[in-house]
Amino acid sequence: ACRVGDNRFMLLLTHTPPERAAGITERIRRAFAAAAPGIAATSATASFGHAAWSEGDDASALEKRVGMAFEAARAAGGDRVESA
């Protein structure tokens, strides 16, 4: 895990099939939303994008696809997981 921007973090899930990665990020998203119970005026949401490493990828190509998935999640209203 590392910070890649002011409010962006990246998890590198090695040896993890895309379907499992989607499940992991969905569980994190739900846990984040449930982290502040009892505070009616506050809601916490998180958007996630994920992509699988493809043959021939370099780190930049993978990061670009993840960024596109993240932006798609935000554009669709946020508080969701999108795959690239």
Side-chain angles (χ1 to χ4, degrees):
C2 66
R3 180 176 280 226
V4 293
D6 288 340
N7 62 350
R8 292 187 185 194
F9 299 85
M10 183 177 290
L11 298 173
L12 181 59
L13 303 173
T14 61
H15 307 290
T16 307
E19 305 80 35
R20 184 150 187 247
I24 291 168
T25 52
E26 178 62 24
R27 285 193 308 274
I28 293 169
R29 185 196 64 76
R30 288 181 188 166
F32 190 82
I39 304 173
T42 302
S43 65
T45 64
S47 299
F48 291 87
H50 66 86
W53 187 275
S54 297
E55 187 69 34
D57 272 351
D58 61 10
S60 178
L62 180 61
E63 186 176 3
K64 182 177 181 179
R65 284 200 319 278
V66 169
M68 290 172 56
F70 173 74
E71 291 302 329
R74 289 182 63 194
D79 196 26
R80 59 188 301 124
V81 176
E82 289 289 337
S83 301

